Amino acid sequence: MILYDYFRSSAAYRVRIALELKGLEVEHRPVHLLRAGGEQLEPDYLAKNPQALVPALELDDGIVLTQSLAIIEYLESLRPTPRLIPQDPELAAKTRAVALAIACDIHPLTNLRVGGYLAASLNASPESIEAWRRFWILEGLQAVEKLIAPKPFCFSAEPTLADVCLIPQLFAARRFAVPLDELPRLLSVEAASLELEAFKRAHPARQADAE
Ligand SMILES: N[C@@H](CCC(=O)N[C@@H](CS)C(=O)NCC(=O)O)C(=O)O
């Protein structure tokens, strides 16, 4: 399998953590989101992912999967252990709710192309785009802080899809200088997660394309 990846992409980081937790190996193929106007917009990549986003996972038969959460659900079917979505229906719903709060409600507002639109079409300054990102990330994480119940991971003694989404979002929050000091539960989950080899190996700084 080939993972089209970018070291700083928090959506790709989610997939890297899931792969590491499940002990699945892939070839990483970097797609540089900034070089030459963005390699995600090149025709060869668009043929794989018409959304022009990373990650994408190309299977050995050539089929390409897109959307990090869909890819992770595929990996969960391929290698069911360790489970990332709990069997208990209530816990599964809570786990998915945190994952979706991050992947659908926080992350899209802070994406590169959204910043590009704010600048090019609405004349937003770099400072106001940074402020926009900080606002939406903090607002979203404040709610996630109340949704989780660390044990020490978001909902249990083992990491789940919620942790897989939370850790990359916290990485992005730091990148955009979002103040995290009043989010002690999130910080405790982060500390527990970053102790694990799988999370360490998936970290942006450890990727071959890291800058
Ligand atoms: N919902 C998508 C989001 C993917 C996404 O937004 N990826 C970002 C990097 S984190 C990207 O490729 N951005 C390129 C751009 O905005 O042009 C997923 O979960 O896979």
Side-chain angles (χ1 to χ4, degrees):
M1 295 190 287
I2 301 168
L3 180 66
Y4 294 90
D5 196 355
Y6 180 57
F7 74 107
R8 220 164 17 209
S9 156
S10 61
Y13 187 5
R14 294 172 200 148
V15 173
R16 294 199 301 265
I17 297 169
L19 285 164
E20 292 286 352
L21 286 169
K22 289 182 176 291
L24 290 164
E25 287 192 9
V26 293
E27 178 193 331
H28 291 260
R29 217 168 272 180
V31 177
H32 201 296
L33 298 185
L34 300 169
R35 190 183 297 145
E39 291 177 353
Q40 73 277 26
L41 297 168
E42 288 177 5
D44 283 358
Y45 188 70
L46 281 178
K48 296 185 190 300
N49 185 357
Q51 279 196 289
L53 299 170
V54 292
L57 183 71
E58 187 166 336
L59 308 183
D60 294 342
D61 60 6
I63 287 176
V64 180
L65 306 180
T66 61
Q67 287 289 340
S68 61
L69 297 192
I71 294 170
I72 293 169
E73 293 237 12
Y74 168 81
L75 299 176
E76 183 90 334
S77 307
L78 193 68
R79 180 144 321 163
T81 53
R83 293 186 74 95
L84 294 179
I85 299 167
Q87 203 149 22
D88 175 79
E90 281 176 17
L91 214 46
K94 288 184 172 200
T95 298
R96 284 196 174 95
V98 166
L100 293 170
I102 293 168
C104 299
D105 298 334
I106 301 177
H107 174 266
L109 289 164
T110 66
N111 213 349
L112 181 65
R113 62 185 182 173
V114 171
Y117 178 81
L118 291 171
S121 299
L122 302 180
N123 280 328
S125 65
E127 296 72 29
S128 52
I129 295 170
E130 291 287 298
W132 162 285
R133 290 196 170 113
R134 275 198 297 278
F135 175 84
W136 290 113
I137 294 175
L138 183 59
E139 202 240 23
L141 288 179
Q142 282 167 337
V144 173
E145 170 83 5
K146 296 189 183 112
L147 287 171
I148 64 166
K151 299 174 177 174
F153 300 100
C154 285
F155 292 110
S156 48
E158 302 298 332
T160 64
L161 183 64
D163 306 280
V164 164
C165 290
L166 177 61
I167 301 312
Q169 188 56 63
L170 290 173
F171 172 81
R174 287 213 165 75
R175 216 181 120 214
F176 297 125
V178 176
L180 298 174
D181 35 305
E182 287 180 19
L183 302 171
R185 292 186 192 186
L186 300 189
L187 293 177
S188 73
V189 171
E190 182 185 41
S193 302
L194 293 178
E195 291 279 304
L196 300 184
E197 268 311 307
F199 283 80
K200 287 183 189 169
R201 282 195 296 268
H203 192 277
R206 296 270 298 263
Q207 305 314 300
D209 60 329
E211 292 166 2

